Amino acid sequence: MKASAFMYGLITGSVTAAVTILYSTPQSGSEIRSSIKNASTDMKHKLYDVKGKISDLKDSITHMTKEVKELVPEAVHDIKGSIEQWQLSTEKNKLRLEKEISAIQTSLAELEQTIAAQQK
């Protein structure tokens, strides 16, 4: 469905509905005009409210964007520093564990040789 056909149908339907309402309403012409004027005024106030809220939302998004641009690099830098500190603090344990694993592997190799020698 093309957008132009949809818009044509929407406009035609809106005009038809407006004419039908105007001819079938029990109010007089001046009452209808007054009602339409009041509805128009209310709609304008609501539109201004929506514009104000959209403006507030834009301001909030701009403020959040600025904060994110400032805070995220700091947080990344702090996290990198924490990871580096953790790596340095675990380096001693890593070396100790590597030595213990090497000693266990050596012991296992000696044990295998001893068992092989006893079986002969």
Side-chain angles (χ1 to χ4, degrees):
M1 175 183 241
K2 289 186 175 182
S4 60
F6 175 75
M7 289 303 294
Y8 177 73
L10 183 65
I11 292 170
T12 304
S14 298
V15 169
T16 304
V19 169
T20 303
I21 289 171
L22 285 175
Y23 282 120
S24 65
T25 185
Q27 296 175 334
S28 68
S30 62
E31 290 174 339
I32 291 174
R33 285 190 295 274
S34 175
S35 175
I36 290 172
K37 186 176 179 181
N38 290 338
S40 173
T41 304
D42 289 344
M43 194 60 90
K44 286 180 184 178
H45 289 301
K46 289 179 182 178
L47 182 61
Y48 289 132
D49 289 342
V50 168
K51 284 182 180 179
K53 289 180 181 180
I54 288 173
S55 176
D56 291 344
L57 181 62
K58 285 181 181 179
D59 292 342
S60 295
I61 290 172
T62 302
H63 180 71
M64 283 179 33
T65 303
K66 287 179 183 177
E67 283 186 3
V68 166
K69 286 181 180 178
E70 293 172 2
L71 295 178
V72 167
E74 287 179 22
V76 168
H77 178 45
D78 291 345
I79 290 171
K80 284 182 180 179
S82 296
I83 290 173
E84 288 174 2
Q85 282 182 333
W86 176 78
Q87 287 175 337
L88 290 174
S89 68
T90 59
E91 188 66 30
K92 291 179 183 177
N93 289 334
K94 179 183 172 187
L95 294 174
R96 183 183 53 83
L97 288 173
E98 287 175 351
K99 288 179 183 178
E100 287 181 13
I101 290 172
S102 177
I104 291 171
Q105 288 174 337
T106 304
S107 296
L108 285 174
E110 290 173 0
L111 183 61
E112 287 175 353
Q113 289 175 356
T114 304
I115 291 173
Q118 288 179 355
Q119 288 179 350
K120 288 184 184 179

PDB file of all heavy atoms in Angstrom, residues 74-90:
ATOM      1  N   GLU A  74      37.101   7.330  32.296  1.00  0.00           N
ATOM      2  CA  GLU A  74      37.656   7.224  33.649  1.00  0.00           C
ATOM      3  C   GLU A  74      37.439   5.819  34.204  1.00  0.00           C
ATOM      4  O   GLU A  74      38.345   5.232  34.798  1.00  0.00           O
ATOM      5  CB  GLU A  74      36.998   8.248  34.581  1.00  0.00           C
ATOM      6  CG  GLU A  74      37.419   9.671  34.342  1.00  0.00           C
ATOM      7  CD  GLU A  74      36.705  10.638  35.276  1.00  0.00           C
ATOM      8  OE1 GLU A  74      36.236  10.207  36.341  1.00  0.00           O
ATOM      9  OE2 GLU A  74      36.631  11.822  34.927  1.00  0.00           O
ATOM     10  N   ALA A  75      36.228   5.297  34.012  1.00  0.00           N
ATOM     11  CA  ALA A  75      35.920   3.960  34.521  1.00  0.00           C
ATOM     12  C   ALA A  75      36.792   2.906  33.839  1.00  0.00           C
ATOM     13  O   ALA A  75      37.304   1.993  34.490  1.00  0.00           O
ATOM     14  CB  ALA A  75      34.436   3.643  34.314  1.00  0.00           C
ATOM     15  N   VAL A  76      36.973   3.028  32.538  1.00  0.00           N
ATOM     16  CA  VAL A  76      37.815   2.073  31.800  1.00  0.00           C
ATOM     17  C   VAL A  76      39.252   2.146  32.314  1.00  0.00           C
ATOM     18  O   VAL A  76      39.892   1.109  32.533  1.00  0.00           O
ATOM     19  CB  VAL A  76      37.746   2.353  30.281  1.00  0.00           C
ATOM     20  CG1 VAL A  76      38.805   1.583  29.529  1.00  0.00           C
ATOM     21  CG2 VAL A  76      36.358   2.022  29.746  1.00  0.00           C
ATOM     22  N   HIS A  77      39.738   3.346  32.540  1.00  0.00           N
ATOM     23  CA  HIS A  77      41.098   3.528  33.051  1.00  0.00           C
ATOM     24  C   HIS A  77      41.223   2.893  34.439  1.00  0.00           C
ATOM     25  O   HIS A  77      42.207   2.187  34.725  1.00  0.00           O
ATOM     26  CB  HIS A  77      41.444   5.009  33.099  1.00  0.00           C
ATOM     27  CG  HIS A  77      42.798   5.322  33.649  1.00  0.00           C
ATOM     28  ND1 HIS A  77      43.924   4.626  33.280  1.00  0.00           N
ATOM     29  CD2 HIS A  77      43.214   6.244  34.541  1.00  0.00           C
ATOM     30  CE1 HIS A  77      44.972   5.106  33.923  1.00  0.00           C
ATOM     31  NE2 HIS A  77      44.560   6.089  34.704  1.00  0.00           N
ATOM     32  N   ASP A  78      40.241   3.120  35.305  1.00  0.00           N
ATOM     33  CA  ASP A  78      40.267   2.536  36.649  1.00  0.00           C
ATOM     34  C   ASP A  78      40.220   1.003  36.596  1.00  0.00           C
ATOM     35  O   ASP A  78      40.927   0.329  37.349  1.00  0.00           O
ATOM     36  CB  ASP A  78      39.094   3.056  37.485  1.00  0.00           C
ATOM     37  CG  ASP A  78      39.236   4.529  37.829  1.00  0.00           C
ATOM     38  OD1 ASP A  78      40.352   5.074  37.668  1.00  0.00           O
ATOM     39  OD2 ASP A  78      38.229   5.131  38.257  1.00  0.00           O
ATOM     40  N   ILE A  79      39.396   0.467  35.714  1.00  0.00           N
ATOM     41  CA  ILE A  79      39.294  -0.998  35.587  1.00  0.00           C
ATOM     42  C   ILE A  79      40.614  -1.583  35.087  1.00  0.00           C
ATOM     43  O   ILE A  79      41.072  -2.615  35.597  1.00  0.00           O
ATOM     44  CB  ILE A  79      38.121  -1.379  34.655  1.00  0.00           C
ATOM     45  CG1 ILE A  79      36.794  -1.056  35.346  1.00  0.00           C
ATOM     46  CG2 ILE A  79      38.177  -2.848  34.277  1.00  0.00           C
ATOM     47  CD1 ILE A  79      35.582  -1.185  34.456  1.00  0.00           C
ATOM     48  N   LYS A  80      41.225  -0.924  34.101  1.00  0.00           N
ATOM     49  CA  LYS A  80      42.522  -1.398  33.605  1.00  0.00           C
ATOM     50  C   LYS A  80      43.555  -1.392  34.723  1.00  0.00           C
ATOM     51  O   LYS A  80      44.350  -2.325  34.858  1.00  0.00           O
ATOM     52  CB  LYS A  80      43.001  -0.536  32.439  1.00  0.00           C
ATOM     53  CG  LYS A  80      42.293  -0.812  31.144  1.00  0.00           C
ATOM     54  CD  LYS A  80      42.849   0.055  30.017  1.00  0.00           C
ATOM     55  CE  LYS A  80      42.147  -0.211  28.704  1.00  0.00           C
ATOM     56  NZ  LYS A  80      42.657   0.641  27.628  1.00  0.00           N
ATOM     57  N   GLY A  81      43.549  -0.327  35.531  1.00  0.00           N
ATOM     58  CA  GLY A  81      44.479  -0.249  36.663  1.00  0.00           C
ATOM     59  C   GLY A  81      44.232  -1.366  37.660  1.00  0.00           C
ATOM     60  O   GLY A  81      45.180  -1.983  38.170  1.00  0.00           O
ATOM     61  N   SER A  82      42.980  -1.655  37.949  1.00  0.00           N
ATOM     62  CA  SER A  82      42.644  -2.740  38.887  1.00  0.00           C
ATOM     63  C   SER A  82      43.104  -4.087  38.348  1.00  0.00           C
ATOM     64  O   SER A  82      43.623  -4.921  39.094  1.00  0.00           O
ATOM     65  CB  SER A  82      41.134  -2.768  39.130  1.00  0.00           C
ATOM     66  OG  SER A  82      40.709  -1.596  39.764  1.00  0.00           O
ATOM     67  N   ILE A  83      42.906  -4.310  37.054  1.00  0.00           N
ATOM     68  CA  ILE A  83      43.330  -5.578  36.451  1.00  0.00           C
ATOM     69  C   ILE A  83      44.848  -5.717  36.514  1.00  0.00           C
ATOM     70  O   ILE A  83      45.370  -6.799  36.833  1.00  0.00           O
ATOM     71  CB  ILE A  83      42.815  -5.686  35.000  1.00  0.00           C
ATOM     72  CG1 ILE A  83      41.291  -5.865  35.007  1.00  0.00           C
ATOM     73  CG2 ILE A  83      43.487  -6.832  34.260  1.00  0.00           C
ATOM     74  CD1 ILE A  83      40.654  -5.806  33.642  1.00  0.00           C
ATOM     75  N   GLU A  84      45.559  -4.628  36.230  1.00  0.00           N
ATOM     76  CA  GLU A  84      47.022  -4.676  36.305  1.00  0.00           C
ATOM     77  C   GLU A  84      47.494  -4.965  37.720  1.00  0.00           C
ATOM     78  O   GLU A  84      48.419  -5.758  37.926  1.00  0.00           O
ATOM     79  CB  GLU A  84      47.613  -3.361  35.795  1.00  0.00           C
ATOM     80  CG  GLU A  84      47.494  -3.177  34.294  1.00  0.00           C
ATOM     81  CD  GLU A  84      47.946  -1.803  33.832  1.00  0.00           C
ATOM     82  OE1 GLU A  84      48.399  -0.989  34.659  1.00  0.00           O
ATOM     83  OE2 GLU A  84      47.837  -1.538  32.617  1.00  0.00           O
ATOM     84  N   GLN A  85      46.867  -4.347  38.714  1.00  0.00           N
ATOM     85  CA  GLN A  85      47.223  -4.612  40.113  1.00  0.00           C
ATOM     86  C   GLN A  85      46.950  -6.075  40.468  1.00  0.00           C
ATOM     87  O   GLN A  85      47.755  -6.717  41.141  1.00  0.00           O
ATOM     88  CB  GLN A  85      46.428  -3.709  41.065  1.00  0.00           C
ATOM     89  CG  GLN A  85      46.942  -2.308  41.139  1.00  0.00           C
ATOM     90  CD  GLN A  85      46.139  -1.480  42.124  1.00  0.00           C
ATOM     91  OE1 GLN A  85      44.975  -1.748  42.365  1.00  0.00           O
ATOM     92  NE2 GLN A  85      46.782  -0.464  42.692  1.00  0.00           N
ATOM     93  N   TRP A  86      45.815  -6.594  40.015  1.00  0.00           N
ATOM     94  CA  TRP A  86      45.478  -7.994  40.289  1.00  0.00           C
ATOM     95  C   TRP A  86      46.514  -8.916  39.657  1.00  0.00           C
ATOM     96  O   TRP A  86      46.955  -9.890  40.271  1.00  0.00           O
ATOM     97  CB  TRP A  86      44.073  -8.306  39.773  1.00  0.00           C
ATOM     98  CG  TRP A  86      43.696  -9.730  39.942  1.00  0.00           C
ATOM     99  CD1 TRP A  86      43.287 -10.359  41.078  1.00  0.00           C
ATOM    100  CD2 TRP A  86      43.729 -10.734  38.923  1.00  0.00           C
ATOM    101  NE1 TRP A  86      43.049 -11.681  40.833  1.00  0.00           N
ATOM    102  CE2 TRP A  86      43.309 -11.936  39.519  1.00  0.00           C
ATOM    103  CE3 TRP A  86      44.050 -10.733  37.576  1.00  0.00           C
ATOM    104  CZ2 TRP A  86      43.209 -13.118  38.807  1.00  0.00           C
ATOM    105  CZ3 TRP A  86      43.952 -11.919  36.864  1.00  0.00           C
ATOM    106  CH2 TRP A  86      43.543 -13.092  37.483  1.00  0.00           C
ATOM    107  N   GLN A  87      46.904  -8.604  38.406  1.00  0.00           N
ATOM    108  CA  GLN A  87      47.896  -9.440  37.735  1.00  0.00           C
ATOM    109  C   GLN A  87      49.230  -9.415  38.476  1.00  0.00           C
ATOM    110  O   GLN A  87      49.888 -10.454  38.616  1.00  0.00           O
ATOM    111  CB  GLN A  87      48.083  -8.982  36.283  1.00  0.00           C
ATOM    112  CG  GLN A  87      46.929  -9.334  35.387  1.00  0.00           C
ATOM    113  CD  GLN A  87      47.078  -8.760  33.995  1.00  0.00           C
ATOM    114  OE1 GLN A  87      47.780  -7.778  33.782  1.00  0.00           O
ATOM    115  NE2 GLN A  87      46.379  -9.366  33.026  1.00  0.00           N
ATOM    116  N   LEU A  88      49.632  -8.248  38.944  1.00  0.00           N
ATOM    117  CA  LEU A  88      50.889  -8.157  39.698  1.00  0.00           C
ATOM    118  C   LEU A  88      50.801  -8.921  41.017  1.00  0.00           C
ATOM    119  O   LEU A  88      51.762  -9.587  41.424  1.00  0.00           O
ATOM    120  CB  LEU A  88      51.247  -6.693  39.959  1.00  0.00           C
ATOM    121  CG  LEU A  88      51.670  -5.879  38.744  1.00  0.00           C
ATOM    122  CD1 LEU A  88      51.857  -4.408  39.133  1.00  0.00           C
ATOM    123  CD2 LEU A  88      52.946  -6.435  38.131  1.00  0.00           C
ATOM    124  N   SER A  89      49.655  -8.825  41.685  1.00  0.00           N
ATOM    125  CA  SER A  89      49.518  -9.509  42.976  1.00  0.00           C
ATOM    126  C   SER A  89      49.430 -11.028  42.810  1.00  0.00           C
ATOM    127  O   SER A  89      49.816 -11.770  43.709  1.00  0.00           O
ATOM    128  CB  SER A  89      48.285  -8.995  43.734  1.00  0.00           C
ATOM    129  OG  SER A  89      47.098  -9.382  43.077  1.00  0.00           O
ATOM    130  N   THR A  90      48.974 -11.500  41.685  1.00  0.00           N
ATOM    131  CA  THR A  90      48.880 -12.951  41.471  1.00  0.00           C
ATOM    132  C   THR A  90      50.117 -13.525  40.791  1.00  0.00           C
ATOM    133  O   THR A  90      50.239 -14.743  40.662  1.00  0.00           O
ATOM    134  CB  THR A  90      47.641 -13.295  40.621  1.00  0.00           C
ATOM    135  OG1 THR A  90      47.720 -12.625  39.364  1.00  0.00           O
ATOM    136  CG2 THR A  90      46.361 -12.921  41.336  1.00  0.00           C
TER     137      THR A  90
END
